[in-house]
Amino acid sequence: MSTTIKEAGTTTMDPLPSTYSTSTVAKAITQTVQFIISSTTSTPKPPSSSHSIASTASLTTMPTTAAATTAATTAELASAATTAATTTATAAIGTEKLSVSDLSTALQHFGIVDYIVFIAMLVVCAVIGFYFGFIEKKQKKEKGQVPTDEKDGDGAGAAGNEERRGSEALDYLVGGRKMKVFPVALSLVASFVSGISLLGTSTEIYVYGTQYAFILITLAISGLISWYIFLPVFCNLQLTSSYEYFERRFDRRVRIFGSCLFVIMNILWQPICIYVPALTLNQVSGFSVHTIVPLTSLICILYTSIGGIKGVVWTDVIQGVVMVGAMAFVIVKGTYDLGGLSVVLERNRQYDRLVGPDMTFDPTVRMGVLALFIGGAFFKTQANCINQAAVQRFMTLPNIKAVKQTLIIALTGFIIVMAMCIYIGMLAFAEYYHCDPISTGLARAKDQVIPLYVMQSAGVIPGVVGLFVAGVFSAALSSLSTALNSLSAVVLKDFIEPYRSRPLTERQTAYVLRAVVIVFGLISMASVPIVQKLGMVMQLSSTVAAITCGPLLGAFSIGMLIPTVKTESLLTGISLAASFVSYIVVRAQIALATGQLTFPTKPVSVEDCDYSFELAANWNATSTSSSATTHSKSFSLHEVSFLWYTCIGAMGTILCSLLATLYFGKQDVRKVDKELVAPVLHKYWYGSYESVSSKDDKELFNLQESINTAE
């Protein structure tokens, strides 16, 4: 139930709308009586010294417009039942306001309907995993339809005609390459719009304004790059692990190096993915994060390990529908309560939230124009083009036509959902423009602002908070299940099968795949406490991905675009780039944790709060001087915007590898199979002579190279 507290003597009791039932009113009266009893039996508190601070402290002196006042009145009328009950309580205890801790406790109203909605989502996910893990498999065996590596249809490429993998691995990891376009596209949207994006993007807009919204343009750029460069190669080769490409283009050392980077990235990223929804449920229900994480993680591990890629994709579809539905309801309800879109835009404009990228070439500016459009393009390209989870989804489809259709639908879905996240951040600020819950401590962490907003704006309707929490959990669990399934593919294909003298049996393969999911799921669950100490999840997620994904993007780019680079040159380049980016990221996180590195935030106000709180002694100074903190000293590498990290890793790998060719020499282009190079460059690299295409000639080249190396 959303609670609004007003000072005694300034608020009148509004009549209850007819839409509220007798039980709702009775519940409100009961809570009021309990509040009065508790306040009269405890020692009366003197008026808080923070009362005057709450009444006068404000970062800005911008006047409240008539439109804003009208919208605030509309929002109060929308929760009239709650206001009426709490006004009675306030009048009974005089002029004393609720403290921020009491209000926070009062807002934790995760009711029985909310629990039913939330638990229903988890149960449906578990049932889907059980169906694909047991029932569907049993039906296929009864009909004699045991999955085999069949013909892959048009666009499968030469590799698709080879019997390269057992039926268990084929079915578990790529769904027999028979999945349909629409569910795979929805799965891509659900798994890559994680809980981090859902809450992190909205929080980013709330704290820093709409600058980050322009990264939507880079989604289109990354889609074009994927369409013409990366996807044609992956689809032609029909790989299960994208790092198999490295062994074909270079050698096994590069494949293992790339796989290790992928595993490290997931170990670092998955705890962030789990932590975000736990933070949401903690805000709305009061349950400890350490209680929530094991429960939800174990359910995700269960349906991922049992159902395989089919279970993951179809749970993603259900979770995607829940996620979008929850966001759509919050948007419609929030906009209506505030008085319309014009009020939302006006309040954001008034407090400098409607802004574009900073028109500067300074790389330390957090949202500079180059950082957003160049750095952001690199960041989105690695996420949507060469990420194992994305490649594995595309490989579940039968041909290149289906892959390109899926890419278009998925990118459209990305843009729509990200736009919804951006607007929710604007809605939250329009609600709290006069009383910032981060400054007052009502939101215990920046990433809890959005759950708090949902509670206060829509909590009076049973089940809505549960729907929103289910949506956040859906986004997070779909991303986690995707990562776990991808890890099982990489571990099996890159770390186990190449080193066995005899192939694994179907039963052994099944055990290995499920064991990998369980082990990495438990590791991620145990690592969550570390994430709690590391700051805003949006920036943290980007920095973690940059350590590994930037160098990997550079390595794939070299392989598909520059066939003259040899294995030794690439290993040198990717090692130096990964080390360099790791230094920058780790050093930046230390600086952020110690307060040595800060970024300017947008203005906020606490001048019209209706509860008592205490401001930090340096609140005003910190808020106004954060920009100077970053730029008052000489330039350091770790001060660059986090959006540059992936670009630095990728370009560092490419440049260092090209420089290394001066020492190791160039690769003979004729020894590189045309299938391993992006089709758009075939005419450039192979225009003057034919590539070596026959198997015998390739073996002859490899033998000659081995002799030269030995000599």
Side-chain angles (χ1 to χ4, degrees), residues 13-67:
M13 186 178 297
D14 297 317
L16 294 176
S18 59
T19 55
Y20 290 93
S21 63
T22 305
S23 60
T24 305
V25 177
K27 186 175 180 181
I29 295 173
T30 301
Q31 291 180 341
T32 302
V33 173
Q34 291 174 343
F35 183 86
I36 295 173
I37 293 173
S38 63
S39 64
T40 55
T41 55
S42 60
T43 304
K45 297 180 182 179
S48 173
S49 60
S50 62
H51 181 98
S52 60
I53 298 177
S55 301
T56 60
S58 175
L59 178 60
T60 65
T61 57
M62 297 180 182
T64 304
T65 63

Side-chain angles (χ1 to χ4, degrees), residues 516-532:
V516 171
V517 170
I518 294 171
V519 169
F520 280 102
L522 294 176
I523 291 173
S524 302
M525 187 171 65
S527 304
V528 168
I530 301 173
V531 176
Q532 290 181 272

